[in-house]
């Protein structure tokens, strides 16, 4: 509305200026005041005033003008000229004046006033232009343009906007609501399904995936992937709890039986067997606690570790209790960054597994290969079938079903070893050994 009003105001000013300059041009060419060709009275009322304020010419039906802008200092008649005739139509001296007058090149003065034309008074926008006649007289031409048309146009637009804008806003609001509701409908479907999954506790359910491959669709896909990972984690946790309970039940039941027998028949108490069961329970509890810490992301402070020294210390600690001899070969002095106690646990678990399955010998090698420090533990036992080389690292998994639980362990050693190696940024794999058994290979980034 402000732009429209300014545009119409500018056009009104321009029309007033054009009308004033047309009359001024006639005066500059020597046209007498009584012979001026003035524009329509109602559209452009015109009044010509000299320096003394005397009206020299005016539109035919113009009877009164107010609010005309100042036009600067109007010059008095030139010296030596005497135009004593007050009649505006008396222009004998002007007709006989030689030469040509001049219209002022300055911007016209503009102002808003009123004019009474044919008995009706309206608001007009006036422009004032100074002009010097060929006779040397300077007069001011006032020309006005009616403001009612511009104001009527602005009022019409205002009324149209007052009616149309609310309707337009209502339509826009309705369309926005419908589009937003349609766009958010898949989000509501995902939310509702998640709420039902939370209440039911059924992680096997999945949220609906919309056909559109947009942000909402990707959100649904990611949500389903999260639910799948959560379902898998909960399943593993439940299986872990069940396996742990099963593993703990056997030694506890055996220990209880021995204690009950000892109470009834003290002379039959098997002290060594009781101690073995307690030690096995202690080791199993320690393994479960370590797995819980690994799953929780616990990371003790790390420091540089020399693998050669680590291998020698572990072999010295085990020398007296090895079932088969362990032969070590260390090349160079590879170093890694890690927790010495946990890296020793990795090597100890691998050696325990190798000794449990070896027939005659276990071999340990440590060396640097490129950017990795590599530790290999090989035995000459039956080896690990290719189909079970990933399964063997799962918790509570024992491939040798012929072994008793007391001799075969709980099936946590290799799982703990792989988790500890992964926590150090390395890998643990198994393949066939040159001796025909299993070869476990640990790769860790060197310092």
């Amino acid at each position: 509305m402000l732009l429209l009003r300014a545009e119409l105001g500018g056009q009104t000013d321009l029309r007033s200026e054009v009308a004033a300059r047309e009359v001024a041009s006639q005066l500059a060419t020597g046209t007498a005041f009584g012979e001026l060709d003035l524009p329509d009275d109602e559209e452009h009322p015109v009044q010509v005033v000299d320096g003394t304020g005397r009206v020299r010419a005016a539109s035919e039906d113009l009877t009164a003008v107010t609010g005309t802008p100042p036009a600067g200092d109007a010059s008095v008649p030139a010296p030596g000229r005497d135009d004593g005739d007050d009649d505006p139509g008396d222009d004998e001296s002007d007709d006989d004046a030689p030469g040509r007058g001049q219209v002022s090149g300055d911007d016209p003065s503009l102002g808003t006033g009123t004019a009474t034309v044919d008995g009706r008074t309206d608001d007009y926008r006036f422009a004032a232009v100074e002009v010097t006649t060929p006779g040397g007289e300077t007069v001011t031409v006032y020309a006005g343009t009616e403001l009612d048309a511009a104001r009527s146009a602005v009022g019409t637009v205002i009324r149209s906007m007052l009616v149309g804008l609310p309707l337009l806003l209502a339509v826009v609001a309705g369309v926005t609501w419908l589009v937003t509701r349609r766009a958010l409908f898949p989000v509501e479907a995902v939310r509702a399904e998640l709420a039902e999954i939370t209440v039911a506790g059924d992680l096997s359910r999945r949220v609906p995936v919309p056909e559109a491959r947009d942000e909402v669709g990707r959100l649904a896909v990611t949500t389903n992937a999260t639910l799948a990972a959560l379902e898998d984690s909960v399943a593993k946790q439940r299986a872990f709890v069940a396996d742990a309970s099963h593993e703990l039940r056997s030694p506890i039941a055996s220990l209880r039986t021995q204690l009950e027998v000892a109470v009834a028949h003290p002379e039959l108490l098997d002290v060594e067997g009781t101690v073995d069961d307690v030690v096995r329970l202690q080791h199993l509890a320690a393994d479960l606690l370590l797995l819980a810490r690994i799953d929780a992301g616990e990371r003790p402070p790390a420091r540089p570790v020399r693998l050669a020294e680590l291998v020698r210390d572990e072999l010295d600690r085990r020398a007296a209790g090895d079932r088969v001899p362990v032969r070590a070969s260390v090349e160079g002095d590879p170093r890694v960054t890690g927790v010495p106690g946990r890296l020793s646990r990795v090597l100890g678990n691998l050696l325990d597994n190798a000794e449990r399955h070896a027939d005659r010998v276990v071999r340990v090698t440590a060396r640097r290969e490129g950017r990795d420090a590599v530790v290999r533990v090989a035995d000459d036992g039956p080896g690990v079938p290719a189909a079970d080389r990933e399964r063997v690292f799962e918790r509570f998994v024992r491939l040798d079903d012929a072994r008793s639980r007391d001799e075969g362990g709980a099936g946590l050693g290799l799982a703990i070893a792989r988790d500890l190696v992964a926590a150090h940024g390395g890998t643990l794999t198994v393949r066939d050994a040159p001796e025909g058994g299993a070869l476990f290979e640990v790769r860790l980034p060197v310092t």
Side-chain angles (χ1 to χ4, degrees), residues 25-340:
S25 297
Q26 296 180 48
L27 292 173
T29 58
T31 303
F33 292 110
E35 298 178 359
L36 290 174
D37 182 13
L38 300 179
D40 182 79
D41 296 353
E42 293 184 357
E43 290 186 2
H44 300 289
V46 175
Q47 179 178 265
V48 181
V49 180
D50 62 14
T52 63
R54 185 179 57 172
V55 177
R56 303 299 301 275
S59 299
E60 181 178 358
D61 295 328
L62 179 63
T63 57
V65 175
T66 62
T68 54
D73 294 334
S75 301
V76 298
R81 287 190 58 86
D82 182 13
D83 190 4
D85 190 357
D86 293 338
D87 186 1
D90 184 6
D91 49 9
E92 290 181 7
S93 60
D94 295 335
D95 294 339
D96 297 336
R100 179 182 179 86
Q102 184 177 4
V103 180
S104 173
D106 297 335
D107 291 336
S109 299
L110 299 169
T112 302
T114 62
T116 302
V117 179
D118 197 15
R120 190 181 70 177
T121 302
D122 292 314
D123 293 332
Y124 286 84
R125 185 70 171 173
F126 288 99
V129 176
E130 290 186 346
V131 58
T132 302
T133 65
E137 181 181 7
T138 300
V139 295
T140 302
V141 179
Y142 295 100
T145 300
E146 190 176 13
L147 292 175
D148 286 346
R151 291 175 178 176
S152 176
V154 173
T156 301
V157 174
I158 290 178
R159 289 190 294 272
S160 300
M161 292 180 66
L162 289 177
V163 175
L165 277 180
L167 296 177
L168 179 61
L169 290 177
V171 172
V172 171
V175 172
T176 303
W177 183 80
L178 291 175
V179 172
T180 305
R181 184 177 178 84
R182 181 178 179 86
L184 295 180
F185 179 78
V187 178
E188 174 60 21
V190 171
R191 186 208 63 79
E193 184 65 22
L194 282 177
E196 294 183 7
I197 292 174
T198 302
V199 173
D202 184 7
L203 296 177
S204 63
R205 297 172 60 173
R206 298 293 181 264
V207 300
V209 179
E211 296 181 359
R213 292 296 180 260
D214 53 7
E215 290 79 1
V216 178
R218 290 193 291 272
L219 173 63
V221 172
T222 304
T223 302
N224 285 336
T226 302
L227 289 173
L230 184 60
E231 180 186 14
D232 183 65
S233 176
V234 171
K236 289 181 179 179
Q237 183 180 15
R238 291 173 178 172
F240 177 77
V241 172
D243 291 337
S245 301
H246 184 74
E247 292 294 333
L248 288 170
R249 184 176 60 180
S250 296
I252 290 176
S254 175
L255 182 60
R256 177 180 177 180
T257 300
Q258 296 182 51
L259 292 177
E260 289 177 348
V261 171
V263 171
H265 305 282
E267 70 279 2
L268 298 180
L269 176 62
D270 184 5
V271 178
E272 293 184 0
T274 303
V275 172
D276 290 341
D277 285 340
V278 173
V279 171
R280 182 169 178 230
L281 278 173
Q282 183 181 7
H283 288 167
L284 182 57
D287 289 345
L288 292 176
L289 179 60
L290 179 57
L291 284 173
R293 289 175 176 175
I294 295 174
D295 291 340
E298 181 185 74
R299 292 190 177 185
R303 62 182 179 84
V305 178
R306 301 173 63 178
L307 288 184
E309 182 179 347
L310 183 74
V311 172
R312 285 194 297 268
D313 291 345
E314 182 64 23
L315 294 182
D316 291 342
R317 185 181 65 82
R318 306 169 58 89
D322 287 341
R323 184 178 65 85
V324 295
V326 179
R327 298 177 182 176
S329 173
V330 179
E331 300 179 12
D333 188 17
R335 301 185 182 186
V336 298
T337 299
V339 182

Side-chain angles (χ1 to χ4, degrees), residues 333-355:
D333 188 17
R335 301 185 182 186
V336 298
T337 299
V339 182
R342 293 195 170 185
L343 291 177
S344 297
R345 182 65 180 274
V346 172
L347 182 58
N349 287 1
L350 294 179
L351 289 174
D352 288 342
N353 180 77
E355 290 180 5

